[in-house]
Amino acid sequence: MALSARVRIPRTARAGETVEIRTLTRHPMETGYRRDHDGARVPRHIVESLRCTYDGRVVFDAELRPAIAANPYLAFTLVADRSGEIVLEWRDDRGETFEARGFLEVTP
Amino acid sequence: MKGRRRLLRGLAAAALVPGRGRAGRGALATLAPWAGRSAAAAVDAEPGHTLRSLYPDRTPVPGPVRLEVPKLVENGNSVPLTLGVDPERFAAAEGPVELVLVLPRNPETFGARFRIREPGQPVVETRIRLAGTQNVTVAAAWPDGRLEVADQSVLVTLGACIDENYEDFL
């Protein structure tokens, strides 16, 4: 299953306004503790990190473990201070990555 | 009453040490991270044990960390949770804050960590798995060296990781 996500990144904001970034990642977040029908352990497979940069600055860094539910929902906020690209990058424990981008236009 | 508790503790300890007793081979054997420690001792040692391994130079103290999580959940596979700290204090702090989630009764007690830097704001919403009723704990590691902790007891009817209802959530 390829790592992918749906994101909600606002397009415009007023300077000083708090905006919310919402992400819904498609991933089983397999804990490694489950067993399949034959009793064999289903191997661990999780998203390990999500990083968000805003106009080149790292504003949010998540380090995730199997305690995060399947199809992880992660939402956080930032204060819009200048126009810039918002980049979200996911990384799982098999080296797969996924990226999502948006541009936030900040008006004074 | 005390005798019954001691007995249960003893049984739990026997069951959780892998290889000892029949239970050691079954579902409880999946709780390998607890190997060698009794269940009661493992839980009592948290969240201090996990926080010490993450922040060996800090002493956790109770403090105003925001934690919103339901007090009762039907199913531990997907529990909404919000954690954060006061945004004004964060703005004054001049440095990143790390928000840590510790789940003393999960097979792995370290749940997640979020490092937030301005202009990001110190609030995170997510959904977590709870293996059973426990004190969900959050900690905030501040740039000045403080490590503040808050917790809330959550009653879980069907535990994640242990109860076989996981596939409903895929």
Side-chain angles (χ1 to χ4, degrees):
Chain A
M1 185 188 297
L3 168 56
S4 70
R6 297 209 318 244
V7 304
R8 183 113 72 117
I9 302 172
R11 299 220 187 130
T12 62
R14 308 274 279 276
E17 191 184 335
T18 300
V19 300
E20 190 176 18
I21 312 282
R22 291 201 215 164
T23 71
L24 184 61
T25 308
R26 189 188 157 90
H27 203 280
M29 294 298 280
E30 195 62 70
T31 62
Y33 298 109
R34 267 199 331 136
R35 290 182 184 274
D36 64 18
H37 315 289
D38 305 316
R41 271 295 174 93
V42 181
R44 176 175 171 133
H45 185 207
I46 62 165
V47 176
E48 286 187 322
S49 69
L50 167 59
R51 167 172 282 199
C52 177
T53 63
Y54 170 30
D55 197 39
R57 303 164 289 175
V58 179
V59 295
F60 180 83
D61 242 326
E63 195 183 328
L64 308 177
R65 290 288 187 278
I68 299 298
N71 298 324
Y73 174 72
L74 276 170
F76 51 95
T77 60
L78 52 84
V79 174
D81 56 2
R82 58 200 197 220
S83 297
E85 196 173 30
I86 292 185
V87 183
L88 293 156
E89 195 190 341
W90 289 255
R91 188 171 296 269
D92 80 5
D93 57 2
R94 293 186 189 172
E96 272 217 63
T97 60
F98 181 77
E99 199 178 82
R101 290 171 182 255
F103 194 89
L104 177 63
E105 176 107 25
V106 177
T107 57
Chain B
M1 183 62 141
K2 246 198 210 162
R4 182 169 180 270
R5 286 217 180 140
R6 274 209 207 102
L7 174 66
L8 287 173
R9 247 178 225 210
L11 287 174
L16 282 164
V17 174
R20 299 235 184 126
R22 272 188 311 126
R25 304 243 175 266
L28 290 173
T30 62
L31 300 176
W34 286 358
R37 296 193 284 167
S38 74
V43 173
D44 289 345
E46 292 295 353
H49 185 88
T50 300
L51 290 175
R52 245 190 319 279
S53 62
L54 291 169
Y55 301 101
D57 302 328
R58 303 192 194 212
T59 305
V61 296
V65 187
R66 176 178 166 193
L67 167 58
E68 286 163 29
V69 64
K71 293 204 167 89
L72 164 66
V73 300
E74 287 296 315
N75 195 307
N77 273 298
S78 184
V79 181
L81 177 138
T82 300
L83 67 157
V85 291
D86 177 42
E88 280 176 18
R89 190 174 158 196
F90 173 66
E94 293 182 11
V97 75
E98 293 184 354
L99 301 172
V100 180
L101 178 65
V102 178
L103 303 166
R105 287 224 170 161
N106 276 17
E108 288 177 40
T109 55
F110 174 47
R113 173 158 52 178
F114 305 98
R115 188 172 305 113
I116 297 166
R117 207 183 291 267
E118 284 190 299
Q121 288 293 280
V123 186
V124 184
E125 276 178 53
T126 187
R127 292 194 285 246
I128 63 170
R129 292 180 170 125
L130 295 177
T133 295
Q134 60 189 289
N135 287 337
V136 173
T137 306
V138 292
W142 291 92
D144 66 0
R146 278 181 75 80
L147 181 61
E148 295 181 348
V149 184
D151 65 11
Q152 184 177 301
S153 176
V154 179
L155 208 155
V156 178
T157 305
L158 282 174
C161 308
I162 295 171
D163 294 312
E164 297 303 325
N165 51 18
Y166 174 91
E167 269 149 19
D168 299 342
F169 286 82
L170 283 178

